[in-house]
Coordinates of all heavy atoms in Angstrom, one line a residue:
A18 N -3.5 34.7 100.4 CA -2.6 35.9 100.1 C -1.2 35.5 100.1 O -0.4 35.9 99.3 CB -2.9 37.0 101.1
E19 N -0.8 34.7 101.1 CA 0.6 34.3 101.2 C 1.0 33.4 100.0 O 2.1 33.5 99.5 CB 0.9 33.6 102.5 CG 2.3 33.3 102.9 CD 2.5 32.9 104.3 OE1 1.8 31.9 104.7 OE2 3.3 33.4 105.0
E20 N 0.1 32.5 99.6 CA 0.4 31.6 98.6 C 0.5 32.3 97.2 O 1.4 31.9 96.4 CB -0.7 30.5 98.5 CG -0.7 29.5 99.6 CD -1.8 28.5 99.5 OE1 -2.9 28.9 99.0 OE2 -1.7 27.4 100.1
V21 N -0.3 33.4 97.0 CA -0.2 34.2 95.8 C 1.2 34.8 95.8 O 1.9 34.8 94.7 CB -1.3 35.2 95.7 CG1 -1.0 36.2 94.6 CG2 -2.6 34.5 95.5
C22 N 1.7 35.3 96.9 CA 3.1 35.9 96.9 C 4.1 34.8 96.6 O 5.1 35.0 95.9 CB 3.4 36.5 98.3 SG 2.4 37.9 98.7
E23 N 3.9 33.6 97.1 CA 4.8 32.5 96.8 C 4.8 32.2 95.3 O 5.9 32.0 94.7 CB 4.4 31.2 97.6 CG 4.6 31.3 99.1 CD 3.9 30.0 99.8 OE1 3.4 29.1 99.1 OE2 4.0 30.0 101.0
G24 N 3.7 32.2 94.7 CA 3.6 32.0 93.3 C 4.3 33.0 92.4 O 5.0 32.7 91.5
Q25 N 4.2 34.3 92.9 CA 4.9 35.3 92.2 C 6.4 35.2 92.3 O 7.2 35.4 91.4 CB 4.5 36.7 92.7 CG 5.2 37.9 92.1 CD 5.0 38.1 90.6 OE1 4.2 37.4 90.0 NE2 5.8 39.0 90.0
Q26 N 6.9 34.7 93.5 CA 8.3 34.5 93.7 C 8.8 33.4 92.9 O 9.9 33.5 92.2 CB 8.6 34.2 95.2 CG 10.1 34.2 95.5 CD 10.8 35.5 95.3 OE1 10.5 36.5 95.8 NE2 11.8 35.5 94.4
Y27 N 8.0 32.3 92.8 CA 8.4 31.2 91.9 C 8.5 31.6 90.5 O 9.5 31.3 89.7 CB 7.4 30.0 92.0 CG 7.4 29.2 93.2 CD1 6.3 28.9 93.9 CD2 8.6 28.6 93.7 CE1 6.3 28.1 95.1 CE2 8.7 27.8 94.8 CZ 7.5 27.5 95.5 OH 7.6 26.8 96.6
D28 N 7.6 32.5 90.0 CA 7.6 32.9 88.6 C 8.8 33.7 88.3 O 9.4 33.6 87.3 CB 6.3 33.8 88.4 CG 6.0 34.0 86.9 OD1 6.6 33.3 86.1 OD2 5.3 35.0 86.6
M29 N 9.2 34.6 89.3 CA 10.4 35.4 89.1 C 11.7 34.5 89.1 O 12.6 34.7 88.3 CB 10.5 36.5 90.2 CG 9.5 37.6 90.0 SD 9.8 39.0 91.1 CE 9.6 38.2 92.7
D30 N 11.7 33.5 90.1 CA 12.8 32.6 90.2 C 13.0 31.8 88.9 O 14.1 31.6 88.5 CB 12.7 31.6 91.3 CG 12.7 32.3 92.7 OD1 13.2 33.5 92.7 OD2 12.4 31.7 93.7
F31 N 11.9 31.4 88.2 CA 12.0 30.6 87.0 C 12.6 31.3 85.9 O 13.1 30.7 84.9 CB 10.6 30.1 86.6 CG 10.0 29.1 87.5 CD1 8.7 28.7 87.3 CD2 10.7 28.6 88.6 CE1 8.1 27.7 88.2 CE2 10.1 27.7 89.5 CZ 8.8 27.2 89.2
E32 N 12.7 32.7 85.9 CA 13.2 33.4 84.8 C 14.7 33.1 84.6 O 15.2 33.0 83.4 CB 13.1 34.9 85.0 CG 11.6 35.4 84.9 CD 11.5 36.9 85.2 OE1 12.6 37.6 85.3 OE2 10.4 37.4 85.4
T33 N 15.4 32.8 85.7 CA 16.8 32.5 85.6 C 17.2 31.1 86.0 O 18.3 30.6 85.9 CB 17.6 33.5 86.4 OG1 17.1 33.5 87.8 CG2 17.5 34.9 85.9
A34 N 16.2 30.3 86.6 CA 16.5 29.0 87.1 C 16.7 28.0 86.0 O 16.0 28.0 85.0 CB 15.4 28.6 88.0
A35 N 17.6 27.1 86.2 CA 17.8 26.0 85.3 C 17.1 24.7 85.9 O 16.9 24.6 87.1 CB 19.2 25.7 85.1
G36 N 16.6 23.8 85.0 CA 16.0 22.6 85.5 C 14.6 22.7 86.0 O 14.2 21.9 86.8
V37 N 13.9 23.8 85.6 CA 12.5 23.9 86.0 C 11.7 22.7 85.3 O 11.8 22.5 84.1 CB 11.9 25.3 85.6 CG1 10.4 25.3 85.9 CG2 12.6 26.4 86.2
T38 N 10.9 22.1 86.1 CA 10.1 20.9 85.6 C 8.6 21.3 85.5 O 8.2 22.3 86.0 CB 10.2 19.7 86.6 OG1 9.6 20.1 87.8 CG2 11.6 19.3 86.9
I39 N 7.9 20.4 84.8 CA 6.5 20.6 84.6 C 5.8 20.7 86.0 O 4.9 21.6 86.2 CB 5.8 19.6 83.7 CG1 6.3 19.9 82.3 CG2 4.3 19.6 83.8 CD1 5.9 19.0 81.2
P40 N 6.0 19.7 86.9 CA 5.4 19.9 88.3 C 5.8 21.2 89.0 O 4.9 21.8 89.7 CB 6.0 18.7 89.1 CG 6.3 17.7 88.0 CD 6.8 18.5 86.8
D41 N 7.0 21.7 88.7 CA 7.4 23.1 89.3 C 6.4 24.1 88.7 O 6.0 25.0 89.4 CB 8.8 23.4 88.9 CG 9.8 22.6 89.6 OD1 9.5 22.0 90.7 OD2 11.0 22.4 89.1
Y42 N 6.2 24.0 87.4 CA 5.4 25.0 86.7 C 4.0 25.0 87.2 O 3.3 26.0 87.4 CB 5.5 24.8 85.2 CG 4.6 25.8 84.4 CD1 4.9 27.1 84.4 CD2 3.4 25.4 83.8 CE1 4.1 28.0 83.7 CE2 2.6 26.3 83.1 CZ 2.9 27.6 83.1 OH 2.1 28.5 82.4
I43 N 3.4 23.8 87.3 CA 2.1 23.6 87.8 C 1.9 24.2 89.2 O 1.0 24.9 89.5 CB 1.6 22.2 87.8 CG1 1.6 21.6 86.3 CG2 0.3 22.0 88.5 CD1 0.6 22.3 85.4
R44 N 2.9 24.0 90.1 CA 2.9 24.5 91.4 C 2.9 26.0 91.4 O 2.2 26.7 92.1 CB 4.1 24.0 92.2 CG 4.1 24.6 93.6 CD 5.4 24.1 94.4 NE 6.6 24.4 93.8 CZ 7.8 24.1 94.2 NH1 7.9 23.4 95.3 NH2 8.9 24.4 93.5
M45 N 3.7 26.6 90.4 CA 3.7 28.1 90.3 C 2.4 28.7 89.9 O 1.9 29.6 90.5 CB 4.8 28.5 89.3 CG 5.1 30.0 89.2 SD 3.9 30.8 88.0 CE 4.7 30.2 86.5
I46 N 1.8 28.1 88.9 CA 0.5 28.7 88.4 C -0.6 28.4 89.4 O -1.6 29.2 89.5 CB 0.1 28.2 87.0 CG1 -0.1 26.7 86.9 CG2 1.2 28.7 86.0 CD1 -0.6 26.2 85.5
E47 N -0.5 27.3 90.1 CA -1.5 27.0 91.2 C -1.4 28.1 92.2 O -2.5 28.7 92.6 CB -1.2 25.7 91.8 CG -2.1 25.4 93.0 CD -1.6 24.1 93.8 OE1 -0.4 24.0 94.0 OE2 -2.5 23.4 94.3
R48 N -0.3 28.5 92.7 CA -0.1 29.5 93.7 C -0.4 30.9 93.2 O -1.1 31.7 93.8 CB 1.3 29.5 94.3 CG 1.7 28.1 94.9 CD 0.9 27.8 96.2 NE 1.2 26.5 96.6 CZ 2.2 26.1 97.4 NH1 3.2 27.0 97.7 NH2 2.4 24.8 97.7
K49 N 0.1 31.2 92.0 CA 0.0 32.6 91.5 C -1.4 32.9 91.0 O -1.9 34.0 91.2 CB 1.0 32.8 90.3 CG 1.0 34.2 89.8 CD 2.1 34.4 88.8 CE 2.1 35.9 88.3 NZ 3.2 36.2 87.4
T50 N -2.2 31.9 90.5 CA -3.4 32.2 89.9 C -4.6 31.3 90.5 O -5.6 31.9 90.9 CB -3.4 31.9 88.4 OG1 -2.4 32.7 87.8 CG2 -4.7 32.1 87.7
A51 N -4.4 30.1 90.6 CA -5.5 29.2 90.9 C -6.0 29.2 92.3 O -7.2 29.1 92.5 CB -5.1 27.7 90.5
V52 N -5.2 29.4 93.3 CA -5.7 29.4 94.7 C -6.6 30.5 95.0 O -7.5 30.4 95.8 CB -4.5 29.3 95.7 CG1 -3.7 28.1 95.6 CG2 -3.6 30.6 95.5
L53 N -6.4 31.7 94.3 CA -7.3 32.8 94.6 C -8.7 32.5 94.0 O -9.7 32.9 94.6 CB -6.7 34.1 94.0 CG -7.5 35.4 94.4 CD1 -7.5 35.5 95.9 CD2 -6.8 36.6 93.7
L54 N -8.8 31.8 92.9 CA -10.1 31.4 92.4 C -10.8 30.5 93.4 O -12.0 30.6 93.7 CB -10.0 30.7 91.0 CG -9.4 31.6 89.9 CD1 -9.4 30.8 88.6 CD2 -10.1 32.9 89.7
G55 N -10.0 29.5 93.9 CA -10.6 28.5 94.9 C -11.0 29.3 96.1 O -12.1 29.0 96.7
A56 N -10.2 30.2 96.6 CA -10.5 30.9 97.8 C -11.7 31.8 97.7 O -12.5 32.0 98.6 CB -9.3 31.8 98.3
A57 N -11.9 32.4 96.5 CA -13.0 33.3 96.2 C -14.3 32.5 96.4 O -15.3 32.9 97.1 CB -13.0 33.9 94.8
L58 N -14.4 31.3 95.8 CA -15.6 30.4 96.0 C -15.7 30.0 97.4 O -16.8 29.9 98.0 CB -15.4 29.2 95.0 CG -15.8 29.5 93.6 CD1 -15.3 28.4 92.7 CD2 -17.3 29.7 93.4
K59 N -14.7 29.5 98.0 CA -14.7 29.0 99.4 C -15.2 30.1 100.4 O -16.0 29.8 101.2 CB -13.4 28.4 99.8 CG -13.4 27.7 101.1 CD -12.0 27.0 101.4 CE -12.1 26.1 102.6 NZ -10.9 25.4 102.8
I60 N -14.6 31.3 100.3 CA -15.0 32.4 101.2 C -16.5 32.8 101.0 O -17.2 33.0 101.9 CB -14.0 33.5 101.0 CG1 -12.7 33.2 101.6 CG2 -14.6 34.8 101.6 CD1 -11.6 34.2 101.3
G61 N -16.9 32.8 99.7 CA -18.3 33.1 99.4 C -19.2 32.0 100.0 O -20.3 32.3 100.5
A62 N -18.8 30.8 99.9 CA -19.6 29.7 100.5 C -19.7 29.8 102.0 O -20.7 29.6 102.6 CB -19.0 28.3 100.1
Y63 N -18.5 30.1 102.6 CA -18.6 30.4 104.1 C -19.6 31.4 104.4 O -20.3 31.3 105.4 CB -17.1 30.8 104.5 CG -16.1 29.7 104.7 CD1 -14.8 30.0 104.6 CD2 -16.5 28.4 105.1 CE1 -13.8 29.0 104.8 CE2 -15.6 27.4 105.3 CZ -14.2 27.7 105.1 OH -13.3 26.7 105.3

């Protein structure tokens, strides 16, 4: 839940930030979208 909030903050920051890199972008989509998919499976497995 905290990581998803981090991803949303990165996404908003990127709207005006200069020098955003591809690793920055991957980190943003990982937090905003991907970690919840991973957590859904992991929690189900638990």
Side-chain angles (χ1 to χ4, degrees):
E19 191 170 50
E20 288 175 336
V21 171
C22 293
E23 292 172 3
Q25 176 65 10
Q26 186 64 58
Y27 283 133
D28 195 19
M29 292 190 298
D30 290 347
F31 288 177
E32 292 178 10
T33 55
V37 176
T38 66
I39 288 175
D41 291 335
Y42 178 68
I43 296 297
R44 179 179 59 179
M45 183 273 287
I46 62 175
E47 175 191 37
R48 302 290 172 84
K49 186 172 179 178
T50 301
V52 294
L53 189 56
L54 299 182
L58 280 165
K59 187 173 189 175
I60 287 171
Y63 280 153

